[in-house]
Amino acid sequence: MDRPARSFSQPLLDRLRRARRIAVLTGAGISAESGIATFRDPGGLWSRFRPEDLANVDAFLRKPDLVQRWYAERRRIAAEAEPNAGHRALVDLEAMTDDFTLITQNVDGLHRRAGSRNVLELHGNINRNYCIACRAPAPEGFADRLAEGAPADCPSCGGFIRPDVVWFGELLPADATEQAFAAARRADVVLSIGTSGVVFPAAQIPLTGRDHGAYAVEINIEPSAIAGYMDETLIGPAGTVLPELLSALREQAGEPVGE
Ligand code: BJW
Ligand code: ZN
């Protein structure tokens, strides 16, 4: 027998239906159902690798080949993955909203592949690489050459090529960060989806939204570090909860909200 549909609170449905401006922060959890490992969950990337060994510039300078191989493997996994129902529900939500900003910490590119348009990538994208010496973008096909064991140095200056991602202690891209906080400040509703909420400044984005009057909602399989600051936490996989939320919204569409 089918499971009864989840019911959502009336304040949540009303605030979403009325919302002209929505800001969404996503983390690794939204891609989990596409088969991409999260960082901090059991069996996640950091149960096998310590962040300090791979996700900072010193580790890279010590062992560029090891770090590049780790990213090449993750690039392959991301390329083979498909966006899931959670990514797709956010595409639908964007189409229903005048001013919609999707802020992601993910580097896998799945939101854009799903069809989301206004996407801000706070921590970069593993499909891009650049030279740490001359900052030139790596040539097309660099990743394939790397996977074949070819030299992975910059063709212009011989410098190390690194993935275009943000490691600990590095600044986030200024434009994207500014736009993300601005979107949170003007949002009527802010969603925080599939993130542990422990990495800053990203974790501050939903909190900023709430401080500026947005209705703040978390979607996660368990309460995150910032759950206590949210108006609601919806417990469940994003690939299930988001489509259910969209269906509930559509069901209510056309009914008076009593504004
Ligand atoms: C599901 C699900 C399903 C599972 N459905 N949900 C002390 C206090 C405050 C800040 C700092 C501090 N000391 C240092 C800092 C700053 C530091 C920081 O925040 N550190 C904290 C960890 C302590 N931040 C930085 O360094 C940032 N830069 C910065 O601050 O610049 C200024 C500065 C400059 C110089 C010196 C000091 C400051 C940069 C942060 C860069 C983060 N980079 C990484 C790696 C990116 C590249 C790569 O991918 O390899 O970004 S780290 C990693 O964490 C990655 C992620 O984007 C990020 C967040 O992780 P996320 O997405 O939340 O994943 P998980 O695994 O943690 O959580 C998954 C969640 O999904 C869980 O909650 C699950 O329950 C859930 N889930 N399945 C729904 N199906
Ligand atoms: Zn170079």
Side-chain angles (χ1 to χ4, degrees), residues 22 27 34 38 43 45-46 55 83 108 118 135 182 191 209-210 244 248 256:
I22 297 179
S34 294
T38 63
L45 290 173
W46 289 347
D108 56 32
N118 193 24
R135 301 191 76 85
L191 304 178
R210 177 143 202 255
E244 287 179 353

Side-chain angles (χ1 to χ4, degrees), residues 26-33 37-41 45-46 51 54-55 70-71 74 104-107 123 126 165-172 193-202 219-224 236-239:
T26 64
I30 196 158
S31 293
E33 291 156 82
T38 63
F39 292 90
R40 296 171 182 82
D41 291 311
L45 290 173
W46 289 347
L54 292 167
W70 188 56
Y71 280 94
R74 288 175 54 200
T104 189
Q105 299 167 83
N106 298 346
V107 297
H123 293 164
I126 43 169
V165 298
V166 181
W167 285 324
F168 286 115
E170 295 183 328
L171 292 177
L172 278 62
I193 305 171
T195 177
S196 55
V198 297
V199 173
F200 286 83
I219 299 174
N220 200 307
I221 52 171
E222 61 180 29
S224 77

